[in-house]
Amino acid sequence: MSLSLARTLNLGRVARTPAVWGKRYIAQETVGKLSAKEVVEQTWASAHAKNPAFAVERELPLPRSRKREVGIFLAVAVVTWGFGSVIAFNYQRMTSTPVTAALFTARHNEDVCRELGRQLNFTSAFPWISGDISHLKGFVDAEFDVVGDKGIVGHLVLKSRRTGKQNGEWHTIEFYVSMPDGRKLDCNV
């Protein structure tokens, strides 16, 4: 056997110490007598035999069901998307032209300013605007709470309809601020 072939197969190390191939031992004196081809064949045979060094003979575990994890993920995703959609639609109503115009008009109404105070605004940074606003269909039904610098909370109601098609005229049906005692302060211009 040539020296380069022995180095390639790492037989120099095997010749000095007993080598373990699976459960078979190749003794020092045997390695010297075997050709490189025979050592490779013995190694190949040992590796493909039922050998605990290469394979574990046991039953495979059943795969874990991930239905619970997927169900929890879907539930959290649906709740998150639903909550986000509600917040987005409410923000869209809050920043719409009819709501900001109604708040502006109520701010400059003398009766409202006398009862609630001059600094009229939403009751919180993110108020709940109930009702529907549809420029395309031609109706506005918006209600929300307002508070002035006197600290009294009022409820602003705006109901308006458009007559005609897209460029029709808007008519205000109801526009008032209801007070806590039940009085209605008319805000129509």
Side-chain angles (χ1 to χ4, degrees):
M1 171 173 25
S2 70
L3 186 59
S4 63
L5 182 61
R7 283 186 184 149
T8 304
L9 296 173
N10 201 10
L11 292 178
R13 181 178 54 83
V14 175
R16 287 190 292 275
T17 59
V20 178
W21 303 99
K23 288 191 173 182
R24 297 182 187 172
Y25 291 94
I26 300 175
Q28 289 179 353
E29 60 273 358
T30 311
V31 171
K33 296 177 186 173
L34 295 176
S35 68
K37 184 177 178 184
E38 291 171 332
V39 171
V40 170
E41 286 174 356
Q42 281 187 2
T43 304
W44 186 257
S46 296
H48 286 83
K50 287 192 175 192
N51 187 343
F54 293 100
V56 178
E57 295 290 329
R58 64 181 170 90
E59 287 289 323
L60 291 175
L62 293 174
R64 234 179 80 211
S65 176
R66 299 189 70 189
K67 287 181 182 179
R68 179 183 167 106
E69 293 171 7
V70 170
I72 290 171
F73 172 78
L74 287 176
V76 168
V78 166
V79 168
T80 303
W81 275 98
F83 183 71
S85 297
V86 166
I87 295 298
F89 289 132
N90 188 58
Y91 182 77
Q92 182 183 12
R93 285 192 300 261
M94 183 181 83
T95 57
S96 69
T97 307
V99 170
T100 55
L103 190 59
F104 178 82
T105 305
R107 264 188 205 135
H108 293 88
N109 186 302
E110 287 301 320
D111 293 336
V112 175
C113 289
R114 191 177 327 105
E115 294 291 329
L116 299 177
R118 286 276 172 207
Q119 300 296 324
L120 191 68
N121 211 340
F122 295 117
T123 54
S124 66
F126 295 102
W128 182 254
I129 311 294
S130 58
D132 293 324
I133 298 172
S134 176
H135 296 285
L136 187 64
K137 294 180 182 176
F139 66 87
V140 174
D141 291 327
E143 298 182 20
F144 53 92
D145 290 334
V146 293
V147 65
D149 55 4
K150 291 184 179 179
I152 301 171
V153 177
H155 189 74
L156 191 141
V157 176
L158 173 64
K159 294 182 191 269
S160 182
R161 299 286 181 266
R162 182 180 63 219
T163 57
K165 294 291 179 190
Q166 290 290 327
N167 296 326
E169 198 174 301
W170 285 87
H171 295 285
T172 305
I173 299 168
E174 291 181 333
F175 183 30
Y176 61 88
V177 175
S178 65
M179 300 300 293
D181 60 5
R183 289 180 295 136
K184 294 182 180 179
L185 305 175
D186 191 24
C187 293
N188 279 328
V189 182

